C-alpha cells in the first residue's frame, strides 16, 4: 500500500468485481442498442476503460474534461468544461461514466448540457458515491460503492493530481492534505 494512505477501501480484485457488475447492469439495460459512453476526465478514465471493455454491448466512446477542484480538496461549485465532446449527443442514448459523485455539481452540469443538446436518454454510472456531501438533488443511476466523507484517492481519483495511477482506492492520510 502507498505510504500516504491510511487504509484501502477497494482492492484491485474488488474493483474488478464492481466493474463486472456495473458492466452487466449496462448490458441488460442497453441490449441491442448502440449507446455513446462518455468518460468525464480525468478522474473516470481508469474506471471507464475497464467498464467499456467488460461490456458485451458495443458502445461508441467519447471524452469530456470537466474540472471543479483546481488543486485543492474542496469543490469550487462551478464545474468548468475544459475539453468538449467530439461526438454529437443528439438522439443518442448517453452513458455518463464518473469516478465519483460528490456535491453533484458536475453531474447536474453534464446532465443539463447533454439533455440540452438533445440526447435521447441519459444514464449515469459512478464508481464511488458520497451521498452525505450532496448539495444538489441528483444521483447516479448506478453507483458501485457508497462511502462517507473520507478523502479517497487512487484508480483515477487524485489529490492535487497525485495518486491517480494507483490500481486500488484508499483513504489519504489527513496529514497529507492538511499540511
Ligand atoms: C471530480 C470527479 C467528478 C467530480 C465530482 O473531478 O472526477 O467529476 O469531481 O465532484 P462533484 O460531485 O462535487 O462535482 P475534478 O473536478 O476533481 O476533476 P478530475 O476528474 O480531473 O479529478
Amino acid at each position: 500500500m502507498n505510504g500516504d494512505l491510511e487504509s484501502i477501501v477497494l482492492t484491485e480484485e474488488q474493483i474488478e468485481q464492481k466493474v463486472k457488475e456495473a458492466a452487466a447492469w449496462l448490458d441488460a439495460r442497453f441490449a441491442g442498442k448502440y449507446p455513446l459512453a462518455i468518460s468525464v476526465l480525468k478522474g473516470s478514465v481508469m474506471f471507464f476503460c475497464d467498464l467499456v471493455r467488460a461490456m458485451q454491448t458495443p458502445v461508441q466512446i467519447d471524452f469530456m474534461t470537466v474540472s471543479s477542484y483546481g488543486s485543492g480538496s474542496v469543490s469550487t461549485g462551478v464545474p468548468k468544461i475544459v475539453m468538449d465532446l467530439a461526438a454529437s449527443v443528439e438522439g443518442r442514448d448517453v452513458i455518463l461514466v464518473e469516478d465519483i459523485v460528490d456535491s453533484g455539481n458536475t453531474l447536474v452540469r453534464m446532465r443539463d448540457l447533454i439533455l440540452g443538446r438533445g440526447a435521447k436518454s441519459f444514464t449515469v454510472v459512478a464508481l464511488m458515491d458520497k451521498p452525505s456531501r450532496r448539495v444538489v438533488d441528483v444521483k447516479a443511476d448506478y453507483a458501485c460503492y457508497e462511502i462517507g466523507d473520507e478523502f479517497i484517492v487512487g484508480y483515477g481519483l487524485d489529490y492535487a493530481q497525485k495518486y491517480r495511477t494507483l490500481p486500488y482506492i484508499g483513504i489519504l492520510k489527513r496529514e497529507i492534505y492538511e499540511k
Side-chain angles (χ1 to χ4, degrees), residues 40-45 64-70 72 74-80 97-108 110 130 133-136 138 156-159 161 164:
V40 184
L41 298 173
K42 299 189 281 282
S44 81
V45 68
M64 192 163 197
T65 307
V66 185
S67 188
S68 58
Y69 281 76
V74 178
S75 169
T76 58
V78 190
K80 195 170 150 226
V97 181
E98 266 289 19
D99 52 326
I100 187 164
V101 182
D102 193 309
S103 70
N105 286 321
T106 304
L107 198 48
V108 166
M110 295 297 290
K130 272 189 182 178
R133 298 255 307 167
R134 212 71 97 242
V135 299
V136 283
V138 71
L157 291 150
D158 75 310
Y159 168 62
Q161 302 302 328
R164 290 194 200 272

Side-chain angles (χ1 to χ4, degrees), residues 14-24 47 50-51 54 155:
Q14 288 169 326
I15 290 172
E16 197 182 334
Q17 185 57 34
K18 298 283 181 200
V19 167
K20 271 189 198 156
E21 289 165 11
F47 177 48
D50 288 342
L51 183 65
Y155 194 63

Side-chain angles (χ1 to χ4, degrees), residues 26 30 32-37 55 57-61 92-95:
L26 284 168
F30 292 101
K33 295 186 174 161
Y34 180 53
L36 173 65
M55 289 176 69
T57 313
V59 296
Q60 183 180 345
I61 62 170
R92 301 297 302 273
D93 291 306
V94 169
I95 301 169

Side-chain angles (χ1 to χ4, degrees), residues 80-179:
K80 195 170 150 226
I81 309 296
V82 179
M83 184 190 77
D84 207 340
L85 298 167
S88 166
V89 299
E90 198 177 347
R92 301 297 302 273
D93 291 306
V94 169
I95 301 169
L96 191 83
V97 181
E98 266 289 19
D99 52 326
I100 187 164
V101 182
D102 193 309
S103 70
N105 286 321
T106 304
L107 198 48
V108 166
R109 178 95 169 85
M110 295 297 290
R111 183 193 64 195
D112 292 351
L113 188 90
I114 287 166
L115 290 176
R117 288 179 181 177
K120 186 165 134 200
S121 68
F122 181 72
T123 302
V124 178
V125 175
L127 177 63
M128 308 297 284
D129 186 17
K130 272 189 182 178
S132 65
R133 298 255 307 167
R134 212 71 97 242
V135 299
V136 283
D137 186 20
V138 71
K139 63 192 275 237
D141 297 282
Y142 186 100
C144 297
Y145 194 82
E146 199 172 293
I147 190 164
D149 199 8
E150 290 83 12
F151 200 105
I152 49 172
V153 295
Y155 194 63
L157 291 150
D158 75 310
Y159 168 62
Q161 302 302 328
K162 289 174 72 182
Y163 311 108
R164 290 194 200 272
T165 55
L166 295 175
Y168 45 81
I169 294 174
I171 298 177
L172 193 60
K173 286 179 180 165
R174 195 170 274 274
E175 70 216 48
I176 305 290
Y177 59 91
E178 284 191 343
K179 66 185 172 192

